Structure formats: C-alpha cells, structure tokens
Amino acid sequence: MTSTLPPLVQAVAGAIGSATGNTLTYPLDLATTRLQLQHPPSTSALRKGNKTRGPAGILGGFHVLHSIAQEYGITALYDGLPTDTGATLLSNFLYFYFYSSLRDFFLHARQRRLQSKTLPQLTMIQELFLGFLAGVSSRAISMPLNIITLRLQTERTQKDASDSEDEEVESTEETGVVHVVKQIYKEQGLAGFWSGFSTTLLLSLNPSITLACFQVFRRMLLYTRRTRLQRASGKASVLDPTPGEAFVGGALSNSIAVAILYPLILAKTRLQARKRSLSELPTTANSKTPSVPSLTSVLMDAYLGQYPEGQRGKREGGMKALYQGLETQTLKGFLNQGVTFLIKGRIEQRIVDAYLRRRAAMS
C-alpha cells in the first residue's frame, strides 16, 4: 500500500483508484443504503413466511436493485453518483496525502532518533493510529458531500412513502442536489452537513484497519516471495504485489474492517438519513426538548427490533438486526477496495517506470 513515492503522487493515485472502484460498485452502495434503512420485519410476518420485502442477504441487495430499475429505470441505480464521486475523490485524495505525509514524517523522525541508515517498520498499532488521524482529517472535509449523497440515494423512496401517506402531496415536488442542500440547511442549519460526525470519527478506523491489514498481507506476501527468490538465486529481493495480489489483499483487508465496524456503519446511515427538523421529533417525558437520536439510541433501537423513528408492533431484533445489509456492504467493499488498490498500484508503477526510462535516456 505505502510506497516511497511522494505523498502527492500517492494521493492522486489513491483518489483515482477509489473513484474508479466507487463508480463500478455504486449500485451496490445504493442497495446497501436502502437495506440499512428498511424497517425490520415483524416477528409474526417472519413466522408466516411473508416475503413482501424480498429475499435477505446478497440476493436481497440484487432484489432492491431490480425493483429500482424496474420502477424508475437503469439511471435510478446511479442516484447521487456525481456527488458521491466528488466526495470519494476529495476524501481519498486527502486521506492518502495525510496518511503518506504523516507516515513519512514519523518514519524519518524515528530513523533520526535511532540513528539508523534504513527506515524502520511501523507496528500494527502505529499504522492504525496514523490511519485514524488521516481518516478523521479527510472525512471532516468531505462529509457534507456524503450527507448530500445519502439524501439523494433515499430521495425516491421517501417521496414515495410521503405520497402514499398524504394524498395532498404535490406531484411537482423538487428533487436534485440544490433541493437537498436547501432541505438540509432548513432542517438543521450548517450543522446538518456534519450530522452524525461523532459516529464518523469512530468509522475513521475503517480505512485505518484496512490499511493495517493490507500492510500485514503485503509483508507476509513479500516475505514469502523473497524467500523463494533467495532459494532460487541466493539473493534477497523485495518486489511489490502484482495487480492480482493487490486486488485480493485490498478486498480481504476491507472485508475484515467492515465485519468489525458494521454496526457503526448501520447507525451512521440511519442517523444521517433523518430528514425531520428538531421541532418534529418526539419529546422526552420530563422535558420539552426534542429527543434527538444518538449513536447509542440508534444501536439500541436496532438491537431491540425498533427503528430510530419508531415503529408499531414487535420487530425482529438481536445481533442479526445490527448487521442488516452486511452481505451487500461486504460485497461492495470487497470489489471497491480491490479495484482501488489494484489501480493505485498500477498508476504508481507506471510513474516509476516512466521516471526510470527518462533517467536511462538522459544517462
């Protein structure tokens, strides 16, 4: 993952790779969001074998995509793609730049302190810490675009729900980015563009865990290959992962991170999807102040089989409810991060090859 190239080069390569992977897997991201926001099925409906909500797991994600395409057309599978691509480019450019800069600074400072001629290696804890700092910094800047994207992804279903509940809803309701921005500002002010940021802070561990796992994968891979080369030629050699190895390593690393942090991912989506203003939220028994959903309350509601905005009847809860939509999220992350690491590595290799050719021509 990390290379000796300047942070700016790594940032550009990482941003392009992330944007490409995000574009290819965007429909899966849309399906995951819809699954995460679906009302949990009632226990009685499950006992009766009610399948009105479609199958579960990965098949459930494809069922959601089929329903969207059938009702609104193929283009609806890319609702919010422009803003999401912008957020991905910005967030990952900043993330890889901050991470590479922090890592170079830390390594060189440690090298000077140890008076070593070679750069030392970072431990897993140090990799996680640097990744976390880079994640917090990048997400703080790109989060407004993520909020807007989430609203665009859920705009159609929320409009359909309001139309079915209110016969007087006008059919000429505004849509699009400008309308979403106005709505967020009207409901919560500027703070609305950073709704759920406390949860996002915790989710900054996602890319850091991914990077740390990839570093472990990379070191194990290079150690194995170096050992084979030593046996064959009697010389030690360090090689970068092949495109296929980079894809597998990135995909597996992200799958591990998603499996660990998924309840937080679910809670963040539900918190940020809240559209009602504070005045419309229910009040507590001892206070007239609206009871704003928090990370803890959303997780507890999911575990108890409830929805953040309240549902009638008994719903299925437990640990299973905290992982609603996990399969689709894992598939999306597996493909997305695999493509990201593959393209990033290829771009960096092309830059190195171009530099070596130019140097050879000048000599």
Side-chain angles (χ1 to χ4, degrees):
M1 176 60 202
T2 54
S3 65
T4 56
L5 294 174
L8 182 61
V9 175
Q10 294 193 50
V12 172
I16 294 175
S18 299
T20 304
N22 183 72
T23 301
L24 292 175
T25 61
Y26 187 79
L28 289 174
D29 185 54
L30 176 64
T32 301
T33 299
R34 297 290 181 89
L35 289 173
Q36 289 172 339
L37 296 177
Q38 276 185 352
H39 299 174
S42 64
T43 305
S44 59
L46 290 171
R47 284 198 298 264
K48 293 177 181 178
N50 190 337
K51 298 183 179 181
T52 56
R53 294 172 63 252
I58 294 178
L59 290 179
F62 287 110
H63 175 78
V64 169
L65 294 179
H66 179 264
S67 299
I68 294 173
Q70 193 173 40
E71 186 170 358
Y72 303 108
I74 297 295
T75 57
L77 298 180
Y78 294 89
D79 281 348
L81 177 60
T83 56
D84 194 49
T85 301
T88 299
L89 282 169
L90 178 62
S91 177
N92 284 279
F93 175 86
L94 294 173
Y95 179 82
F96 285 112
Y97 184 81
F98 290 151
Y99 178 78
S100 301
S101 299
L102 288 170
R103 196 173 192 275
D104 286 350
F105 176 81
F106 187 84
L107 286 174
H108 285 93
R110 190 177 179 188
Q111 182 185 28
R112 288 193 298 269
R113 187 173 64 253
L114 297 175
Q115 296 182 345
S116 173
K117 293 183 179 180
T118 59
L119 287 176
Q121 285 191 335
L122 297 180
T123 65
M124 174 73 81
I125 299 299
Q126 291 168 337
E127 294 279 7
L128 286 172
F129 179 70
L130 293 179
F132 178 76
L133 289 180
V136 170
S137 303
S138 61
R139 292 189 181 213
I141 298 174
S142 64
M143 191 169 180
L145 289 175
N146 291 325
I147 297 287
I148 294 171
T149 298
L150 181 62
R151 290 292 186 90
L152 290 170
Q153 288 180 335
T154 59
E155 195 173 39
R156 292 184 191 272
T157 53
Q158 288 174 339
K159 183 178 182 298
D160 289 345
S162 64
D163 287 343
S164 62
E165 294 175 2
D166 188 355
E167 297 179 356
E168 297 180 0
V169 173
E170 297 181 8
S171 59
T172 59
E173 182 180 347
E174 290 184 79
T175 58
V177 176
V178 175
H179 171 68
V180 167
V181 171
K182 289 179 180 179
Q183 282 296 107
I184 295 174
Y185 184 78
K186 178 181 178 181
E187 293 164 9
Q188 303 174 50
L190 286 176
F193 293 97
W194 283 269
S195 175
F197 185 66
S198 59
T199 309
T200 300
L201 289 178
L202 296 175
L203 286 176
S204 295
L205 286 171
N206 192 327
S208 63
I209 292 175
T210 301
L211 281 174
C213 290
F214 188 82
Q215 290 285 34
V216 172
F217 171 84
R218 186 172 179 267
R219 290 173 186 174
M220 293 174 60
L221 180 66
L222 294 181
Y223 175 78
T224 303
R225 294 172 64 185
R226 184 168 54 205
T227 302
R228 291 201 303 266
L229 288 172
Q230 280 181 299
R231 291 173 180 172
S233 62
K235 297 180 180 180
S237 178
V238 177
L239 301 173
D240 288 329
T242 64
E245 291 166 345
F247 180 93
V248 173
L252 291 176
S253 299
N254 181 258
S255 298
I256 294 172
V258 168
I260 294 173
L261 299 173
Y262 189 76
L264 294 177
I265 297 173
L266 177 72
K268 180 184 77 92
T269 301
R270 291 186 174 181
L271 279 171
Q272 293 179 344
R274 189 183 76 245
K275 292 189 65 175
R276 297 185 300 172
S277 63
L278 295 180
S279 61
E280 295 175 306
L281 291 172
T283 57
T284 59
N286 300 324
S287 173
K288 295 182 179 180
T289 304
S291 56
V292 182
S294 64
L295 171 63
T296 304
S297 67
V298 170
L299 288 174
M300 186 58 66
D301 285 339
Y303 183 79
L304 295 176
Q306 299 173 351
Y307 197 66
E309 297 181 0
Q311 294 295 315
R312 294 182 179 179
K314 183 64 176 175
R315 304 286 168 174
E316 184 186 36
M319 292 301 296
K320 183 179 180 180
L322 294 176
Y323 288 87
Q324 184 174 314
L326 172 63
E327 297 87 349
T328 311
Q329 176 76 27
T330 302
L331 177 61
K332 174 249 180 183
F334 187 93
L335 298 174
N336 192 330
Q337 288 299 315
V339 171
T340 297
F341 280 61
L342 186 155
I343 293 180
K344 180 179 184 295
R346 295 304 294 169
I347 291 176
E348 291 180 351
Q349 188 59 51
R350 290 293 180 89
I351 292 174
V352 171
D353 292 342
Y355 172 77
L356 293 176
R357 285 196 300 270
R358 182 177 179 182
R359 186 174 179 179
M362 294 176 62
S363 59

